[in-house]
Amino acid sequence: MGSVFGNKVKISIFGESHGTAIGVVIDGLPSGERIDIDEVYAQMARRAPGGDKTATPRKEADIPQILSGMIDGVITGAPLAAVIYNTNTRSQDYGNVMTSPRPGHSDYAAYVRYSAKNDVRGGGHFSGRLTANMVFAGAVIRQILKRRGIDIAAHIYSVGSVNDEPFDPLGIPTELIERLNHEKFALADPARESAMREEVEAVRIKGDSIGGVVECIIQGMPAGIGEPMFGGAENIISAAVFGVPAVKGIEFGSGFAGSQLTGSKNNDEFYYDGDTVRTYTNNHGGILGGITSGMPIIFRAAVKPTPSISIQQRTIDLQSGENTTISVKGRHDPCIVPRAVPVIESAAAIAVINML
Amino acid sequence: MGSVFGNKVKISIFGESHGTAIGVVIDGLPSGERIDIDEVYAQMARRAPGGDKTATPRKEADIPQILSGMIDGVITGAPLAAVIYNTNTRSQDYGNVMTSPRPGHSDYAAYVRYSAKNDVRGGGHFSGRLTANMVFAGAVIRQILKRRGIDIAAHIYSVGSVNDEPFDPLGIPTELIERLNHEKFALADPARESAMREEVEAVRIKGDSIGGVVECIIQGMPAGIGEPMFGGAENIISAAVFGVPAVKGIEFGSGFAGSQLTGSKNNDEFYYDGDTVRTYTNNHGGILGGITSGMPIIFRAAVKPTPSISIQQRTIDLQSGENTTISVKGRHDPCIVPRAVPVIESAAAIAVINML
Amino acid sequence: MGSVFGNKVKISIFGESHGTAIGVVIDGLPSGERIDIDEVYAQMARRAPGGDKTATPRKEADIPQILSGMIDGVITGAPLAAVIYNTNTRSQDYGNVMTSPRPGHSDYAAYVRYSAKNDVRGGGHFSGRLTANMVFAGAVIRQILKRRGIDIAAHIYSVGSVNDEPFDPLGIPTELIERLNHEKFALADPARESAMREEVEAVRIKGDSIGGVVECIIQGMPAGIGEPMFGGAENIISAAVFGVPAVKGIEFGSGFAGSQLTGSKNNDEFYYDGDTVRTYTNNHGGILGGITSGMPIIFRAAVKPTPSISIQQRTIDLQSGENTTISVKGRHDPCIVPRAVPVIESAAAIAVINML
Amino acid sequence: MGSVFGNKVKISIFGESHGTAIGVVIDGLPSGERIDIDEVYAQMARRAPGGDKTATPRKEADIPQILSGMIDGVITGAPLAAVIYNTNTRSQDYGNVMTSPRPGHSDYAAYVRYSAKNDVRGGGHFSGRLTANMVFAGAVIRQILKRRGIDIAAHIYSVGSVNDEPFDPLGIPTELIERLNHEKFALADPARESAMREEVEAVRIKGDSIGGVVECIIQGMPAGIGEPMFGGAENIISAAVFGVPAVKGIEFGSGFAGSQLTGSKNNDEFYYDGDTVRTYTNNHGGILGGITSGMPIIFRAAVKPTPSISIQQRTIDLQSGENTTISVKGRHDPCIVPRAVPVIESAAAIAVINML
């Protein structure tokens, strides 16, 4: 149930991190669309750990096998299914998690939900690894959207207290979109990278972790897309983005900062740019009354610090009913924000194609 | 489409602010539940303008007429429908909006969406008045939830830069819930009221407006509710809360602030309180991996400043294709945050009953 | 839940037969469509009892009041809501049904479903009267479909063992469609009317009832509409048509008769008629693999005999736990098939607009 | 879109007959349920061709590989995914179908729907082979239902004009259910088998095909399940059963025959059997007003004769725009009715678990 999203284009995600395979079925893609599969792999590589000092050295082989829905690189219109077989894990790293829930993880909540049958190895169905599926789907969808003039690009807005240069809400250049779409550590201002990596290294050596914010822009959306009230663009995008693990907040346009502004400062005034209707400012983040205005959609997602830290933490023993402590072993990301960038772009893509 | 929410309990909202009537149909309520209709009216009165200096003097008669689904105060199980006839407006206040979109309003986006057929009078189907429907539905649902041990309470977290005392994420006392649930200017610390009203008055006399943040707590949710990935509690609650006009952001638990914390600071450690599983802190806001943990769900919604201000603003003339200016006449709320409190509580209730 | 149908165009129906009002909300209609409200009333009059000897003399005032979604006869795109206030019933006719379920009615099943809270007066939310809502929605939708070249027409295929002339599955003339769409006793061959009325009269004087079959044709559907497997045209049409009370079966094209044919006889061979692709025969009823072929969609719905008969029947007393008997008083239709014709056309329309 | 069914338990089916693999994802199964995988294979074997003279000699290896959702034979609650790799086909048998649509098949309709991109090899996504997925899902679900006292059993009601002994609508013995559930040629009266096989052989040697009817009973459903109007048991069951290829009609209880009865004959009178409420007859097929009554649900599905016949047929050439003829080569089932039995049972199971 929760692992299915969408009405026009239905995305079904399955898999457990340490199970046989993970995969995704996408039902409703328009037939005839040509897909560059190498570009899809490139997007998945952005998400994969390894090759980036902030990420987990555990190598994931993320080559998806396409089972249906694509012939000679062209989408047939029938459901597109892709699976990724699990190959490289060390299950002994997850020894005692089935009895002692790890703080900040889904362990306890899932234990109650699934009456102790949840496959917790590696987080099971709640594992960050499942996001590989989202990126596959998002990567395919983004090629279709791009052909219709819609671009999606995200960057690391902040890690801890170190900020990147924010996006210009009036729009960012195509070259920046292209560069960001192919980077593993996506920054508008690459000069900020070392400061950010230091922020991460500082916690990594302590066995701790740090969070951050991802900012995402969607350019080229036509005006008039979305429904009032419950079917609005914010409703659909947030419903998709909260499907990305570790996301705990989302804001559109001026968001929380805008709540402290006056109307005269927050309102975006209209003007004609030739025949095109634009606004001088974009505090509305491209969405008015749930419907797109034609200005770029811009949102920020708060990513909590990775719960997996090797520092000892207090927890409970579900079998004995006693309080206890736990130390989460294994190889963990001290900061998943860089890897969350393509995942959040994918969630946005999944939302957008369901709105068009 | 957008005006329908839910799967188990479907809420259909209809109506235009200056049309014949507005109303709501709620399909899927459990039969046999007794509803105190005076308490429902009391909740609707909290939302209605008038009787509160920060609000609009335009008197709305919000007495709903129940057409079906309730017999002698007991829910039958068949769809519950209620309508509110529109009686007291001054349509000449909305004179030139059909040609010049008001900045910050849905006018332009809806104009494109509905090919100029949108009934824009008073914002039409996008009017804040439609929230009366949400409060009716929410008020009915909250009585059902209360009987199952689930309480929902919100307060004005901030107006502009003036803050209320925030909720204790570990839980608030029943007496506070009761008091807040019956106030029109809901504050945890009533002493902050005058400072807030000054903040509002300062903008009102200038014909401007101010925004704020509403904080909402849901206590008594059992653990294990929700689905991983796209069906999580954050996904469903945000999909409902973004249905409240003017909401531009939402965060759960430590939210955006948590993104700047380390894992050791943000993780909530577990312990046994007798037989009950609790956490020492509640940065996860009661939700882990999309599933409830049993701790209170706590979230904050950013409410943008009311777009309707009488200050002159630049806009376009859709008929002439020229740039122009507009001055929105009529009686407007300089700050809708107090009135948004029961609406956001209602949106939360609508989400919760669909998750149980 | 069950009273809401559709994805693109959502129909929410509410009301109890002897409650305050019944009504319908239609969300998702395309804005700008002009509706002839007199034509809508004309369709509703076809369904209403009275003015036809086979029907119930209980006069229903079926004039709907439109509350939103239409301005000066043009659809705005916001939800269209219409209510019909209940005026003319005699509730004492339904005296003892709350304790003794009437055979063939929903009484017992609803009693269990709603834990005895179901408003059974007149059948409550299960009343045939609710079909007035379906006809209102269907009548509005059919005007939109007609403008797109899609016509829907049904007739009384049979009453008891008396048959009308069946539709030509290759298509029926426009004049026939027009005539049928405005008759209360819709027959392809009007000469069969007296034989049918005799069939009905024969049971009426005995206090009994008789069933029949309604045949419906949908002409002008473009080819390529629908989805394979679960989203096919048969799936969606049947899901809507079974929403019509008393329908107990549906078949498309050659249906059950086709199951006795050989493939060589049942297959429909293709040919070019100019540039248009047609089939020489239409046993597939316009649907192949769930997707429309461009040939007319044709289906038949079995309507069971009205359960309300004044003949004494055995039943149970839910309060005493004893077997007992019942005699259903009041004024009842001995045959609802003629009145079911516009309702089934409406169900088909509701299905079609959700497929386009 | 069309390849996804359900709300509580979502079934997503993917695959093309001659593609890499076919598969199914089931999201929403209750955790903790133990599944006998050999029994699942046994059900799939009933559907598979081979080992039965009426079926196609093309051997399908239908051993599904479970990728997620089950650990040590116990359902975890996370999505259960299973794939079946395609191994044994002769693609040259489907030589010219991409330009000349086969009469009775989905070829032409899908050609229009998917703008000629549909993978038509072997019927592509419309292939009967996809039903292996439905049987896998249905077999898993039926074990869960059985544990809750709900049994589903179907038999060949008729092939051509040869009938089996119909089910007793008041219920069939457990031994009969067990026997039928494990037969490839499921008959209530096994003595009728040779007459049926002769009916099939008679058309097979002519290169033709024959259809039939499958009757299905669901015993043990509690009363009070379902929703009025559009959410009724008939609506949901038919929406699932029409997902089975070749089904062109469905009737519940006395169905079409009942339309010719009087109310006094068709109504089922209630009585107390101890504390249990029953009816003396079961023309309502266990469903009243869309809600279950506690009596067995019984329905019949019309299965059209297999469109694939080797007899020459008239068709069109989509490339040249000319009329032409076609002879469908390859190995085809002259009668798929026996193989449709477990598929229809599965469709019923998928519907039932979504209603509980």
Side-chain angles (χ1 to χ4, degrees), chain A residues 52-56 185 196-197 200 204 332-336 338:
Chain A
D52 179 271
K53 267 233 204 61
T54 63
T56 314
F185 204 92
M196 277 193 185
R197 290 190 178 279
V200 175
R204 192 190 69 76
H332 308 119
D333 269 330
C335 180
I336 59 164

Side-chain angles (χ1 to χ4, degrees), chain B residues 19-269:
Chain B
T20 305
I22 67 176
V24 58
V25 184
I26 315 168
D27 188 8
L29 290 174
S31 61
E33 296 278 350
R34 179 162 287 283
I35 299 299
D36 178 345
I37 199 65
D38 290 326
E39 174 62 26
V40 173
Y41 293 164
Q43 290 305 314
M44 298 186 72
R46 294 178 65 208
R47 178 218 146 266
D52 179 271
K53 266 237 204 61
T54 63
T56 313
R58 175 165 57 92
K59 283 202 174 326
E60 294 177 14
D62 280 340
I63 310 295
Q65 179 186 18
I66 292 174
L67 300 183
S68 66
M70 203 182 292
I71 304 267
D72 302 327
V74 177
I75 285 175
T76 65
L80 190 157
V83 291
I84 304 170
Y85 283 87
N86 290 326
T87 56
N88 179 28
T89 58
R90 289 179 357 199
S91 50
Q92 63 269 26
D93 290 336
Y94 294 95
N96 65 339
V97 302
M98 296 201 77
T99 53
S100 294
R102 298 163 293 172
H105 276 277
S106 59
D107 299 356
Y108 175 66
Y111 170 83
V112 179
R113 171 82 176 76
Y114 297 107
S115 316
K117 300 299 180 312
N118 181 46
D119 177 21
V120 190
R121 302 175 292 169
H125 187 61
F126 295 85
S127 165
R129 180 159 163 69
L130 269 288
T131 58
N133 291 320
M134 256 192 246
V135 176
F136 176 85
V140 169
I141 290 168
R142 288 168 69 190
Q143 291 189 29
I144 296 171
L145 294 178
K146 197 174 185 68
R147 226 166 275 140
R148 299 179 191 194
I150 299 171
D151 283 305
I152 300 175
H155 70 125
I156 304 166
Y157 182 82
S158 63
V159 164
S161 53
V162 180
N163 287 20
D164 185 19
E165 180 186 314
F167 280 159
D168 177 357
L170 295 177
I172 66 176
T174 312
E175 306 78 43
L176 177 56
I177 293 175
E178 272 308 298
R179 176 169 71 73
L180 291 171
N181 278 177
H182 293 96
E183 287 186 343
K184 287 204 79 166
F185 204 94
L187 291 173
D189 179 9
R192 320 241 177 155
E193 187 171 334
S194 20
M196 277 193 185
R197 289 190 178 279
E198 280 171 32
E199 188 89 347
V200 175
E201 186 65 12
V203 296
R204 190 189 72 76
I205 56 183
K206 287 193 268 184
D208 210 333
S209 64
I210 191 77
V213 175
V214 173
E215 179 175 51
C216 184
I217 195 166
I218 304 170
Q219 295 189 171
M221 278 292 273
I225 302 296
E227 303 285 333
M229 225 164 285
F230 297 119
E234 289 123 336
N235 309 59
I236 297 179
I237 292 171
S238 63
V241 173
F242 274 115
V244 181
V247 168
K248 293 300 281 186
I250 192 170
E251 60 175 11
F252 294 83
S254 58
F256 279 91
S259 76
Q260 298 198 15
L261 297 180
T262 57
S264 56
K265 287 211 155 51
N266 195 57
N267 278 0
D268 303 308
E269 297 164 293

